[in-house]
Amino acid sequence: MSMNRMASYGEIMNGLRQSFSSGITRAVTFRLSQLEALAKLVEENEAAIFESLKKDLNKPKFEAEISELSLIRSEINLARNSLNSWMKDEHVSKNLATYFDSAFIRKDPFGVVLIISPWNYPFQLCLIPLVGAIAAGNCAVIKPSEISQNTEKLLADLLPRYLDKNCFAVVCGEAKETSLLLENKFDYIFFTGNPKVGRIIMAAAAKHLTPLTLELGGKNPCFVDDDCDIDNTAKRIVWSKFFNAGQTCLAPDYVLCSEGTRDKLLTALQGTIQAFYGDDPKLSPDLGRIISQRHFQRVCALLTSGKIVTGGQTDETERYIAPTLLTDVKESDPVMQEEIFGPLLPFLTVGDVEEAIRFINQREKPLATYVFSRNSQVVNQFLERTASGGFCANDGLMHTTLMSLPFGGVGESGMGKYHGKFSFDTFSHHRACLLRSSGREKLNEIRYPPYNQSNLGLVLYATESKRKSWCSIQ
């Protein structure tokens, strides 16, 4: 099937459904061939990928390499290395009634899936879910973000050149086109974006009872304990906050600390910003830019919150906003009402750990919670008494580099998970299978009418799980 952009969404869907029905995507050889093709796409087009990310976000090559290409390569390689074991039937324990049978979980592809990706990491947040969809044996429609227009154009050009056109289609467009696309029935939807649009996606999925994953954002709290290494904390916060000009769903969104720690931390942060980006960060080759004029204006409006102690400079022609630290911020200020998604870091002071935990728990569950402390008891208090998609102590962002950890939100920050095998599982239906013999009917007769009490006891004995004995630790 041609991926002509003029083709109607209905025609695209019909073509993909025919391909899936043919069974072509189920074969391990096909899945591996498409993963290999995706690897070649990345390898053979590095320069064009870097260029598109530079045009869209002024993304430094270093950041593009570690947060876009490297992560994609790792996901593809893990899937290629592990696919045979992931696809194997998973045999499960049985009860007495099914002792002679075969019981297992079969990992079936859903069918035709939709992947809607965002603009802040436009390459990896498009391709990493696609790795999972391919590995699980699905056909897919890929909808890149129109806001990162250079990367959108590149993806629309490259994907049809490398992947099987009969099984994978790229569609482009804005909100209107996405709404029309969502009128079609998909077998699974994977959306990365903000909670507002997430609700729209979920409502559209509900019309067809389509299962979905929502990877959303949130205001990620960052608690800095009095007992911490101030210099190391400052370096790690500055890196994780201003990476990609703060346009990261996992970026620390605000800092909670005591007044005394705030003053020491601000001094360390100011020195770190200068060390990382120079006297004039605008001239630094290592600092990105805001994606669009609309988002530039939105982030600039948040500068009215609190007091600017560092940064605050802007340049609309470049969509530049300096790394900015804000103090004297109130809970009611605009900067605390939405996910910042820009290079602003507000500070709020708390009296102690209890107040910080209370503050976090009074708000929607974030995508990540960060705690900086040398005291493991303090770290464990936040780990045990708060809820978030992920948790990282004494660093930022780094937990997402592990494919052995699931990536995903909870509550307002999303639902579902992916990365590594979690991606394969997300795009697979775990089908419960029991294969029985047509014989041995005498063993089954105890469950047939006419019922009697003695047979009931035998049925329960053969099917119920028994509680194991236990002892208390004195």
Side-chain angles (χ1 to χ4, degrees), residues 1-3 12-20 22 24-25 30 34 112 139-140 160 163-169:
M1 180 200 67
S2 169
M3 286 193 287
I12 291 172
M13 292 297 295
N14 287 338
L16 295 178
R17 290 216 175 276
Q18 287 177 17
S19 295
F20 181 74
S22 75
I24 184 175
T25 62
F30 177 84
Q34 297 305 293
V112 179
C139 290
L163 298 183
D164 189 317
K165 297 184 186 67
N166 295 313
C167 301
F168 304 98

Side-chain angles (χ1 to χ4, degrees), residues 62-271:
F62 188 97
E63 291 189 2
E65 180 64 62
I66 65 172
S67 68
E68 302 264 12
L69 301 194
S70 175
L71 292 178
I72 294 166
R73 283 195 298 267
S74 292
E75 292 281 347
I76 293 171
N77 289 336
L78 179 64
R80 288 194 292 190
N81 295 341
S82 311
L83 191 56
N84 281 306
S85 64
W86 290 352
M87 289 176 62
K88 280 183 180 176
D89 291 338
E90 184 180 332
H91 288 270
V92 299
S93 60
K94 296 174 289 187
N95 55 29
L96 193 59
T98 57
Y99 181 79
F100 296 106
D101 307 325
S102 177
F104 56 90
I105 300 167
R106 169 69 53 88
K107 284 64 173 279
D108 279 343
F110 278 106
V112 179
V113 305
L114 172 63
I115 297 169
I116 304 176
S117 59
W119 52 261
N120 58 326
Y121 292 90
F123 225 81
Q124 68 109 328
L125 292 179
C126 176
L127 296 195
I128 289 179
L130 181 57
V131 170
I134 292 172
N138 298 281
C139 290
V141 174
I142 302 104
K143 167 63 180 70
S145 174
E146 74 283 0
I147 298 173
S148 48
Q149 56 187 354
N150 293 286
T151 309
E152 176 201 39
K153 183 179 178 182
L154 185 63
L155 285 165
D157 175 52
L158 293 180
L159 285 169
R161 286 167 44 195
Y162 285 85
L163 298 183
D164 189 317
K165 297 184 186 67
N166 295 313
C167 301
F168 304 98
V170 183
V171 300
C172 299
E174 300 184 8
K176 179 183 177 183
E177 287 77 17
T178 304
S179 297
L180 291 172
L181 182 63
L182 286 166
E183 290 177 4
N184 293 275
K185 177 177 170 55
F186 290 91
D187 299 301
Y188 200 92
I189 296 174
F190 190 104
F191 170 77
T192 306
N194 62 60
K196 180 182 177 182
V197 180
R199 287 178 168 83
I200 296 170
I201 302 293
M202 195 169 184
K207 292 177 183 176
H208 300 291
L209 293 179
T210 301
L212 78 170
T213 290
L214 298 177
E215 293 294 344
L216 310 177
K219 295 191 71 63
N220 305 314
C222 177
F223 175 75
V224 179
D225 190 26
D226 292 343
D227 182 11
C228 75
D229 186 314
I230 288 290
D231 289 337
N232 288 348
T233 296
K235 291 173 188 173
R236 296 174 191 187
I237 289 177
V238 167
W239 180 77
S240 56
K241 176 61 187 180
F242 301 119
F243 193 97
N244 200 32
Q247 298 166 114
T248 305
C249 57
L250 281 169
D253 202 85
Y254 62 92
V255 172
L256 295 171
C257 60
S258 67
E259 280 193 38
T261 294
R262 180 198 62 187
D263 296 339
K264 289 185 288 185
L265 183 59
L266 282 171
T267 300
L269 289 169
Q270 288 168 328

Side-chain angles (χ1 to χ4, degrees), residues 47-64:
I49 295 167
F50 287 137
E51 183 182 2
S52 69
L53 294 170
K54 187 74 174 175
K55 288 178 178 177
D56 285 330
L57 291 146
N58 194 45
K59 191 168 287 195
K61 187 176 180 181
F62 188 97
E63 291 189 2

Side-chain angles (χ1 to χ4, degrees), residues 193-195 199 214-222 249-251 253-254 336 338-339 356-370 382-391 408-416:
N194 62 60
R199 287 178 168 83
L214 298 177
E215 293 294 344
L216 310 177
K219 295 191 71 63
N220 305 314
C222 177
C249 57
L250 281 169
D253 202 85
Y254 62 92
M336 290 301 295
E338 62 178 81
E339 185 179 5
I357 291 173
R358 243 187 344 264
F359 188 93
I360 293 169
N361 288 339
Q362 285 168 355
R363 283 150 184 80
E364 298 287 357
K365 295 172 184 176
L367 188 58
T369 294
Y370 299 113
F382 281 88
L383 184 56
E384 292 171 5
R385 296 172 59 194
T386 64
S388 57
F391 184 94
V410 59
E412 187 80 2
S413 58
M415 62 180 70

Side-chain angles (χ1 to χ4, degrees), residues 364-383:
E364 298 287 357
K365 295 172 184 176
L367 188 58
T369 294
Y370 299 113
V371 177
F372 288 84
S373 178
R374 281 187 285 228
N375 189 330
S376 61
Q377 290 183 327
V378 169
V379 171
N380 284 326
Q381 280 196 69
F382 281 88
L383 184 56

